[in-house]
Amino acid sequence: MPGAARPVRGRHRVFVGMAAGVGKTTRALSELRDRLERGEDALIGVLETHGRAFTQAAAAGLPVFPRLEVVRGGVTLGELDVAGLIARRPDVVLVDELAHSNAPGSAREKRWMDVEALLDAGVNVLSTVNVQHLESLHDTVARLTGVRVRERIPDAVLRGADELVLVDLTPADLRERVRSGAVYGAERAEHALTNFFTLPNLTALRELALRQVAHVVEQGAAGLAAGLGVQERVVVAVAAEETGARLIRRGGQLAQRLHADLQVVTVRSERISAERARLLDTFRAVTVALGGEFIVLDPAGGVAATLIRHVQAAQATQIVLGESSRSRWEEVLRGDIIRSVLRQTRNVDVYVITRE
């Protein structure tokens, strides 16, 4: 309707945990029930019980909004009905598993995108996520647990939330839940305990969850001091190589800690293979997910000179570089980029990340 006022953005409360089974969804369902009893129009938008008895019991009797049916390859899948919920306009809706990938053919690729649409329409949302699904922690989680998580969400989703609720459980208690069959069926429990749900893995993930929630809270407080002192800016330089995504995530973590702007730059090559072009597209997506800007620089005077000019023009305070993949002979012929940056920049911290 012309001239209609834009709805006030809904409020987003995210229940964060270290792993499946800590009780995030149960806590969210409990809050939904409390709101329903207070007279609010509260609905389950999408709930993934995974057959867990305690989750099913927590959801018993709560109103459920029908899922949207998406037909793919003769199979009918149920996804969050965003348009239907916006038309219904409930006071609050529960959306489980933020990192979920929607069925092909859905209006949006990811469930967190569906949540953003609901929030933009003025609907309040309760959602859940495990810490290993954060984009910036992808490499850290893989290194600690040996598992690469495929479904991830941009860190900006948590930073933009109105409230984070940490749902905590000791690793020993979570392992006992798994062992009792409360998290997975008996046939999967033993496999889970000896693989992902080991005591060292859960201890590391718990620390990540505690630190991540504390960090987001600190970032919000730091906003009060915005504009004081020099604005930090982290520049990450990448080439079209497999290690680039890891560099970007390390730079993203640094930018978060410093409350800094993030720029990821690469120097344009005259000829680039389809595989390397695909890598650069991936790097752009990772950068955006971390709230950064991806920039392709036109070369003039070589890679090192181009990078140094950009660092100076951008007034970067931190530079993240990868350990050189050039051979000693190539460095003699074409120069050592890291040494050039170190020699020709001032008042800039340079971080060199190993290739391993």
Side-chain angles (χ1 to χ4, degrees), residues 11-309:
R11 293 185 60 80
H12 189 193
R13 175 177 285 191
V14 186
F15 295 81
V16 183
M18 64 177 171
V22 296
K24 303 177 304 298
T25 303
T26 302
R27 283 281 301 276
L29 287 165
S30 177
E31 177 166 335
L32 197 76
R33 189 178 299 278
D34 289 344
R35 292 193 179 204
L36 189 68
E37 291 174 353
R38 292 200 301 264
E40 294 185 38
D41 183 12
L43 298 171
I44 294 174
V46 62
L47 175 66
E48 310 290 0
T49 69
H50 300 289
R52 293 167 189 157
F54 61 88
T55 305
Q56 293 170 341
L62 291 173
V64 179
F65 196 78
R67 293 199 191 194
L68 181 68
E69 293 187 350
V70 180
V71 179
R72 183 69 177 178
V75 178
T76 301
L77 303 171
E79 298 291 0
L80 183 68
D81 186 356
V82 177
L85 284 164
I86 290 175
R88 164 70 182 271
R89 296 192 62 80
D91 294 318
V92 61
V93 61
L94 186 148
V95 180
D96 206 9
E97 297 191 358
L98 266 182
H100 169 83
S101 296
N102 290 332
S106 300
R108 283 161 290 273
E109 181 183 359
K110 298 286 188 177
R111 188 169 286 168
W112 67 264
M113 297 176 178
D114 290 340
V115 167
E116 286 297 312
L118 290 173
L119 294 169
D120 286 342
V123 178
N124 299 316
V125 177
L126 307 176
S127 67
T128 66
V129 73
N130 287 323
V131 71
Q132 66 261 33
H133 293 289
L134 282 177
E135 182 65 56
S136 67
L137 298 179
H138 178 66
D139 297 305
T140 303
V141 170
R143 176 170 53 83
L144 292 172
T145 68
V147 175
R148 287 205 169 270
V149 178
R150 290 185 299 113
E151 294 186 319
R152 304 191 292 276
I153 68 170
D155 289 49
V157 175
L158 285 198
R159 291 199 301 270
D162 297 282
E163 187 175 358
L164 301 182
V165 178
L166 178 65
V167 182
D168 190 32
L169 193 66
T170 68
D173 286 342
L174 180 54
R175 280 175 54 81
E176 186 55 40
R177 279 190 183 181
V178 174
R179 188 175 290 109
S180 69
V183 179
Y184 300 113
E187 69 285 354
R188 290 186 59 192
E190 193 57 40
H191 177 78
L193 286 169
T194 55
N195 287 272
F196 189 81
F197 285 79
T198 65
L199 194 59
N201 280 1
L202 293 179
T203 301
L205 289 171
R206 187 189 192 198
E207 181 179 348
L208 284 178
L210 291 167
R211 288 170 55 188
Q212 189 65 33
V213 171
H215 175 66
V216 172
V217 172
E218 288 171 2
Q219 278 192 313
L224 298 175
L228 298 178
V230 177
Q231 172 62 47
E232 300 276 0
R233 178 167 290 115
V234 176
V235 171
V236 181
V238 296
E241 299 177 351
E242 290 288 349
T243 54
R246 186 164 63 90
L247 289 180
I248 295 169
R249 294 188 185 102
R250 289 292 293 274
Q253 291 174 340
L254 179 62
Q256 285 186 25
R257 289 197 297 271
L258 297 173
H259 315 298
D261 295 335
L262 172 66
Q263 289 186 351
V264 177
V265 300
T266 189
V267 178
R268 191 187 309 276
S269 175
E270 291 183 4
R271 288 174 294 184
I272 187 168
S273 67
E275 174 61 20
R276 291 195 168 193
R278 183 193 64 78
L279 279 174
L280 292 179
D281 287 341
T282 299
F283 297 166
R284 185 186 300 274
V286 172
T287 302
V288 171
L290 295 175
E293 178 184 11
F294 189 83
I295 301 171
V296 179
L297 303 174
D298 289 320
V303 173
T306 302
L307 175 59
I308 290 165
R309 278 196 305 275

